[in-house]
Each structure stands twice: as C-alpha cells, then as structure tokens.
Amino acid sequence: MSIEMPRGLPFSVDTFGPNTTTKRMKRHHFLTHAHKDHTVGISPSNVAFPIYSTSLTISLLLQRHPQLDESFFVRIEIGETVIVDDPDGGFKVTAFDANHCPGAVMFLFEGSFGNILHTGDCRLTRECIQNLPEKYVGREGKAPKCCLDYIFLDCTFGKSSQRFPTKHSAIRQIINCIWNHPDAPVVYLACDMLGQEEILLEVSRTFGSKIYVDKATNLECFRSLMVIAPEIVSEDPSLRFHIFSGFPRLYERASVKLAEARSKRESEPLIIRPSAQWYVCDDDEDDYCQSVSQIQKQRKVRFNEAVKDEFGVWHVCYSMHSSREELESAMRVLSPRWVVSTVPSCRAMELDYVKKNCFISRFSSDDPFWKLLDIDMEVSSGAVTDTQTVTLSCCLVSDVDCTNTKMEPVIEASTIKKQLLSLSPEKNNLPVTLFGRARLSSQVSDQLHERKVIHSACVEKLNLEEAAEYDTKQETVEEASCRRFSSSSSKESCRDLSGELRKLYRSMNAPVPRPLPSLTELMNARKRARKSFKL
C-alpha cells in the first residue's frame, strides 16, 4: 500500500486508484514493482498513461491484466536514467535495485523540486545503499557530498527491534532444515509470493530437482514462475518439492497434511514457511500469535536456524523488507533532510534519525520544501521579524485509507519557529513527518479538535446550575464545592454551554464533565470519616 505524492510534484508513484484532485495534477506515473497492493487501480479507464517501470514488472503486470496494452508503458531498467519532459521543467529519473522482489526498483528523482528517493518496497542493506550515486552516500562519520532532500521510505518493520538475518543466511537455514529431515517424503515450501523465487532457485540447484506447482490451485504463482524461472517449474505431483500456498488458512491446511500422514502411518511431510511476519507479529494484532505459548515466544528469538511451531510448521526469518536497524543505518549514511513513511501508519516517526534530525523548523520560508507540499507562506508586508504573524495554509491529500480526504489546517503563531513546530501531531517538541497529520481524515481531525475545545470550555465555565441539570442526585459536598468554584473563578456562568454542546458530547459517547469538589471539602470529608471510624 502506497501514499499519494505531494501536490507540488508532477508525478505519482504506485498510486493508481480512482481520480482525485491530486491525481489529476500528476502528469507522469511510476510503478516500483508488481505486488498487488502497489498495482491496485491500474486499468485503461483509471490511469493516464504512460507508466514507467522495469521490463520484468511490466511483463508480470501484462500477464495478470491482459486487457492492458504494452504501449501503455515506458521501460526503465535498473541503473538506467531517463529524462522526463514536463511543462514545469524537465527532471531526471534513475532506477536502482530495491532488493525486494524480481523487477522491484527504487526511483531517484532529480529536478527543480529537489532530490527525492522513493524506495517503494525495499530492503536497504549496505550493498543496496552502495548502488546509489556516490555523492548521496556518506561514509563513517562523514556526511554525503549532496544530501537527499526527501526520502519516501518503506517502514513496514520500522517498529520492530528484531535483527533480521540476510536473505542469503535465511536461504541457508532452509537448505539445512531440509537436510536435517531426510525422511520427509514431501517438502512443502510456502513460497508462492513474488519475491521468494531465490529460495526456490537455490533449493532446486542444491537438490537437483524441479518444483511442483499446482496450476489449478495456484495459477498466479505458476504464471509468475514461468516468466521469472521457468527452468525449475514442473507439473509432476510425484516430485518431492511442492509449492504450498502461504495464505489463507496456512495452519489449517498444514494440520490436514500432517494428520493424513499420521493416519496412514507414514513419515510426516516437511512444511517450511519463509517469512519475517511470524517473528514480528504482535500478540494484540494476530490471532495466531495469541495462541503461541510462552515457550514458542522465547524460541522466536533464534534467528540462526529454523523454528518449529505448535502446528508443525517450520519458520525461517526471510524478510523482503528492512529491519529497523537497517533503516536507521541507511538514514545515517544518506542523511536526508526529510523522511516520509510510505506505509499507512506514520512509522518514520519511530526512527531515531527522524526524531533527531527531521524538524520542520529547519526549513526557511522560501525553501522549495513548501512548493513541493503546495503550501503558501503568506507573510505580512514589511521586514520579517520574530514577532510577526505567519499564516500557513496547507492542503495535503492521502489515499491511504480513503479517497477525496483532505485536511486544510490554517494556523497562526507569534513566531515562525513556534508556528511551524505546532504542526506536530502529538507534542510540540517532537518532529513531524510529511504526512504525520495528513493521514487523519478531516472528520477525525475535526472531532479531535472539537473534543479539545469542548473539554476546555466546560472545565472553565461549568457552574452549579448546569451540573444540577446533568445529575439531580449530586451530593451535597459536590454542590458546595461547585458554588465556590463558580464564585472564585470568572463571574461568567456556563449559560453558554448550550444543549447542542451537550448533544455533541453524547453523540461521541463522552461523559459531560462536572466540576470536581474543592480540596477543602475533600479534607473535611476525610476528617469526618476518621472520626466515625474511631467511634
């Protein structure tokens, strides 16, 4: 799943859904790889062609969508640079290996808008980073000669603290697991996802056998392998190695296979699932994780060998996405000015590099950053001073959860820095990534704002008469404290708290706030309780 690029850019990356105002402003379209969550919406009716992508990605896409024509695409291969003409000024685009799946690339855009790296889905290992232009890559303790202005970063596992083994190491674990089970008559490999072909190629080479793919039940995997590695594909079910669908109902189908072997008193088959998801899943988010025992959780820590779960499935941590450690290392080497998470939740905010280096206050009012976001910085006439009021108007659109979702905050502050820092979604002292607030729909944002306004208004103005209206059974102690609260504070009563305000509280299933008893009354009540206890 991808986010929509800012309005100030003339191109889009991996967003092909129904037209929105922002999409109609995009004159050039780029596709990083062929996974379905990045190709959603590609059709002759929805997309203003052409689409730039690699030959392999285009072949996989045409196979999946035969109604598309090859003339709709422009081929750009890994390491190749293309000059794109645009009314606002031409720009360069270079494709680099994303280390994700066959045909997957990162795009480096260089133009009047700055230098932008869009990673798509990627695994940013040290080797992958070294493929980028030398001027953008720093050395140990040294910043790069030219810093990237913005990185749109795949932060899929940005919250996980686990250290993933390399792809090569994970493949060796799979090979060792197969060697350790010589009696297994059938080896089921849950490798039907685009990006796991390296595993199948190495298994086929090591054991000198082709791999059976059931064309009837797994047609898409069969077609993809016929494009990427046709030499290892077979339709002979008597072979030892079989492709096993990872989802849905992996554990249910695995249990059936194991039960069948036991009922026939045969050796159990070997079922291997290469994936990082099992190692990073959260107990609150995954039904399977909730059923894992404490012993199983402890065994997950082992990343140097295959691990068997309680369903009989062997797991190997094979990841096509970067670990948090790899993301942090990549950001230190590239030293971008701004980082944007391309996954739905704003996980770039979790990175230490972003917390320490990506502050919106570092951008001057004439920085191209504001043009990229289509933000107008209006400063009152005369010399700019710290005491002047700056009005910031911005309109960002995000296609993560819904289309046609807009947020237009208009903020005023006494100083430029304080005003800009107030854009932080949670705390003013935290940095904010590009879509930190834009990911919220306008309705949710308005409700949060209304709740804050309602809460502050009620705490300041609520008096005894309104409190009695909400609850006629208020205790005497509370009534006395409310009177003192009302008289000691401002003389203005809470008559402004209208019925509509109370309805709004109730519509949000929020309790209407009542004034708390005074500290004196609480202390007296405590003394009375002590006296009664002594008696």
Side-chain angles (χ1 to χ4, degrees):
M1 185 179 293
S2 298
I3 62 168
E4 192 168 293
M5 300 297 282
R7 282 187 168 187
L9 294 175
F11 56 85
S12 67
V13 181
D14 293 348
T15 50
F16 307 97
N19 280 334
T20 63
T21 303
T22 303
K23 281 192 173 67
R24 286 192 290 270
M25 298 170 66
K26 306 303 182 185
R27 296 178 287 274
H28 315 282
H29 306 272
F30 295 83
L31 176 63
T32 59
H33 63 288
H35 277 157
K36 286 185 177 180
D37 57 332
H38 290 256
T39 62
V40 173
I42 293 183
S43 70
S45 59
N46 280 345
V47 179
F49 296 93
I51 296 175
Y52 294 80
S53 194
T54 61
S55 297
L56 182 53
T57 297
I58 293 171
S59 298
L60 294 169
L61 195 61
L62 291 174
Q63 188 181 69
R64 192 186 305 160
H65 302 286
Q67 73 275 17
L68 296 174
D69 192 274
E70 192 171 353
S71 63
F72 294 160
F73 301 90
V74 175
R75 299 177 187 275
I76 175 172
E77 304 302 337
I78 293 175
E80 183 180 352
T81 300
V82 174
I83 305 297
V84 180
D85 294 327
D86 187 80
D88 293 338
F91 57 91
K92 291 197 307 181
V93 184
T94 308
F96 297 94
D97 182 20
N99 192 27
H100 180 64
C101 70
V105 292
M106 304 183 289
F107 288 115
L108 174 63
F109 301 91
E110 298 170 289
S112 60
F113 43 73
N115 307 314
I116 299 175
L117 177 65
H118 195 295
T119 67
D121 282 355
C122 68
R123 181 156 185 193
L124 290 177
T125 60
R126 181 174 299 179
E127 295 76 14
C128 187
I129 293 295
Q130 295 302 322
N131 291 330
L132 295 173
E134 186 177 353
K135 64 179 180 179
Y136 294 121
V137 181
R139 296 291 181 265
E140 291 295 333
K142 294 184 179 180
K145 296 178 182 178
C146 182
C147 290
L148 289 164
D149 292 306
Y150 323 99
I151 290 185
F152 289 80
L153 183 65
D154 171 24
C155 298
T156 299
F157 294 137
K159 289 185 177 181
S160 174
S161 59
Q162 307 288 4
R163 298 184 64 180
F164 298 158
T166 64
K167 285 185 176 182
H168 176 74
S169 175
I171 292 174
R172 294 312 308 168
Q173 292 177 36
I174 295 170
I175 299 298
N176 291 337
C177 184
I178 297 172
W179 280 122
N180 293 335
H181 295 82
D183 296 332
V186 182
V187 177
Y188 293 102
L189 300 169
C191 298
D192 60 333
M193 184 178 181
L194 180 64
Q196 297 176 316
E197 294 78 13
E198 290 183 53
I199 299 172
L200 302 177
L201 284 166
E202 187 62 23
V203 169
S204 178
R205 186 193 66 80
T206 302
F207 295 96
S209 172
K210 291 190 174 185
I211 298 174
Y212 168 65
V213 184
D214 190 347
K215 188 176 179 180
T217 60
N218 212 335
L219 180 60
E220 186 172 331
C221 176
F222 179 85
R223 288 177 173 175
S224 297
L225 285 174
M226 291 303 294
V227 173
I228 299 168
E231 68 276 10
I232 67 171
V233 179
S234 174
E235 296 183 66
D236 181 7
S238 64
L239 292 173
R240 187 187 184 202
F241 299 98
H242 291 212
I243 292 290
F244 199 62
S245 296
F247 287 98
R249 301 188 305 275
L250 167 66
Y251 302 106
E252 179 182 330
R253 288 181 290 104
S255 299
V256 170
K257 292 289 185 184
L258 295 171
E260 285 179 359
R262 291 165 188 156
S263 65
K264 296 178 182 179
R265 296 185 178 180
E266 298 176 350
S267 297
E268 293 184 356
L270 178 63
I271 304 172
I272 303 176
R273 182 197 178 194
S275 174
Q277 197 65 44
W278 186 74
Y279 292 83
V280 300
C281 64
D282 191 343
D283 291 356
D284 296 331
E285 297 177 359
D286 195 299
D287 292 338
Y288 167 69
C289 291
Q290 293 178 6
S291 64
V292 177
S293 65
Q294 189 63 32
I295 297 177
Q296 287 291 95
K297 291 179 183 178
Q298 294 173 359
R299 295 181 69 185
K300 283 186 182 185
V301 180
R302 302 208 313 265
F303 288 88
N304 60 341
E305 61 181 347
V307 178
K308 186 178 181 180
D309 68 16
E310 59 186 15
F311 297 98
V313 177
W314 289 82
H315 295 267
V316 172
C317 187
Y318 181 87
S319 179
M320 295 184 286
H321 297 272
S322 306
S323 65
R324 175 166 182 160
E325 181 185 36
E326 290 169 336
L327 292 175
E328 295 283 10
S329 176
M331 293 304 97
R332 288 194 298 269
V333 171
L334 297 176
S335 300
R337 299 173 67 204
W338 202 256
V339 181
V340 184
S341 174
T342 60
V343 294
S345 58
C346 197
R347 294 179 183 173
M349 291 285 291
E350 305 290 333
L351 300 179
D352 292 336
Y353 175 86
V354 174
K355 293 177 181 178
K356 295 177 181 178
N357 298 280
C358 297
F359 294 96
I360 201 168
S361 59
R362 295 185 178 181
F363 295 92
S364 60
S365 59
D366 59 346
D367 196 284
F369 174 80
W370 306 112
K371 183 179 179 181
L372 179 143
L373 298 183
D374 194 26
I375 293 178
D376 296 325
M377 295 293 291
E378 299 177 0
V379 185
S380 56
S381 58
V384 179
T385 66
D386 274 350
T387 57
Q388 283 185 308
T389 298
V390 178
T391 302
L392 172 64
S393 303
C394 67
C395 181
L396 301 177
V397 180
S398 174
D399 272 359
V400 175
D401 293 318
C402 55
T403 27
N404 297 326
T405 300
K406 299 181 180 180
M407 186 181 74
E408 301 184 359
V410 178
I411 308 161
E412 294 185 357
S414 59
T415 65
I416 295 176
K417 288 187 177 181
K418 287 183 179 179
Q419 187 274 333
L420 294 176
L421 288 173
S422 67
L423 287 175
S424 175
E426 295 181 357
K427 297 181 180 179
N428 289 343
N429 61 343
L430 291 179
V432 55
T433 52
L434 185 60
F435 289 89
R437 293 184 63 189
R439 294 184 185 281
L440 295 175
S441 66
S442 58
Q443 181 179 1
V444 174
S445 180
D446 291 343
Q447 285 182 356
L448 291 174
H449 177 68
E450 287 173 355
R451 291 183 188 182
K452 290 180 180 178
V453 172
I454 293 169
H455 177 73
S456 60
C458 291
V459 170
E460 292 175 0
K461 297 183 179 181
L462 194 62
N463 62 6
L464 176 62
E465 290 78 16
E466 291 292 344
E469 182 177 345
Y470 299 144
D471 189 359
T472 57
K473 297 181 180 181
Q474 187 80 349
E475 293 181 1
T476 306
V477 173
E478 292 179 341
E479 292 178 359
S481 62
C482 290
R483 288 193 185 94
R484 278 191 293 274
F485 173 79
S486 173
S487 60
S488 62
S489 60
S490 175
K491 296 296 182 181
E492 295 180 5
S493 66
C494 193
R495 294 187 179 89
D496 293 334
L497 189 65
S498 64
E500 294 182 358
L501 200 58
R502 295 193 296 274
K503 288 179 181 178
L504 181 58
Y505 254 108
R506 292 164 184 162
S507 67
M508 295 186 295
N509 294 323
V512 180
R514 300 170 184 169
L516 295 173
S518 68
L519 181 60
T520 304
E521 288 294 334
L522 290 174
M523 294 299 294
N524 291 337
R526 185 182 179 186
K527 290 178 181 178
R528 288 195 297 269
R530 285 182 176 178
K531 290 179 182 179
S532 61
F533 179 75
K534 290 179 180 179
L535 293 176

